[in-house]
Amino acid sequence: QVQLVESGGGLVQAGDSLTLSCVVTRRIFERSAMAWFRRAPGKEREFAAAISRSGRTTDYADSVEGRFTISRDNAKSTVYLQMSDLKPEDTAVYFCAAKNTILTAPMYRDASDYNYWGQGTQVTVSA
């Protein structure tokens, strides 16, 4: 059974920091590039950040560049999203996603590229 389980969401104030975690079934994690997407109220799901299977390269949406950091811990089969200087517009449900790939370098922004998804964790940023 494939599992992606997010945690770490919550209610914070503007300017605060928060770190999301996503624990992934090991056999999937080892073979996957990973990403975080988010869906704000009334909006479509959008790309936030991605990390290659090797972990050596990362990619960010312009809206989070410089404030969010994606990382992965292969020993723990976990991908993280460190978020700082949070803004009310960051309020969303955050999803982690895994894409099976034999390639170690590429990252992917398109949600349709991803094979597995978590259930999401709510992040709410008050003004």
Side-chain angles (χ1 to χ4, degrees):
Q1 182 180 0
V2 176
Q3 286 191 314
L4 288 79
V5 181
E6 302 100 333
S7 63
L11 173 61
V12 298
Q13 293 185 329
D16 283 352
S17 299
L18 203 60
T19 297
L20 306 182
S21 302
C22 177
V23 181
V24 185
T25 302
R26 179 172 293 277
R27 63 179 175 81
I28 296 301
F29 187 82
E30 293 173 340
R31 303 168 185 173
S32 295
M34 301 296 300
W36 288 93
F37 288 78
R38 64 185 186 181
R39 185 175 65 234
K43 294 188 177 181
E44 297 293 318
R45 181 174 51 189
E46 66 174 6
F47 168 77
I51 188 166
S52 61
R53 177 179 167 183
S54 70
R56 295 190 184 97
T57 51
T58 57
D59 185 26
Y60 299 93
D62 289 345
S63 58
V64 307
E65 178 84 53
R67 299 187 298 120
F68 289 12
T69 301
I70 188 172
S71 61
R72 61 190 294 161
D73 184 333
N74 292 339
K76 297 181 178 180
S77 298
T78 301
V79 61
Y80 302 98
L81 186 67
Q82 296 174 276
M83 306 183 292
S84 63
D85 189 23
L86 283 161
K87 306 176 186 301
E89 52 264 42
D90 294 318
T91 294
V93 178
Y94 284 73
F95 301 89
C96 69
K99 172 184 169 53
N100 285 351
T101 177
I102 62 172
L103 304 174
T104 58
M107 300 156 289
Y108 306 86
R109 290 191 168 207
D110 193 334
S112 65
D113 284 326
Y114 288 84
N115 309 101
Y116 304 101
W117 292 83
Q119 293 299 306
T121 185
Q122 176 71 47
V123 173
T124 303
V125 184
S126 63

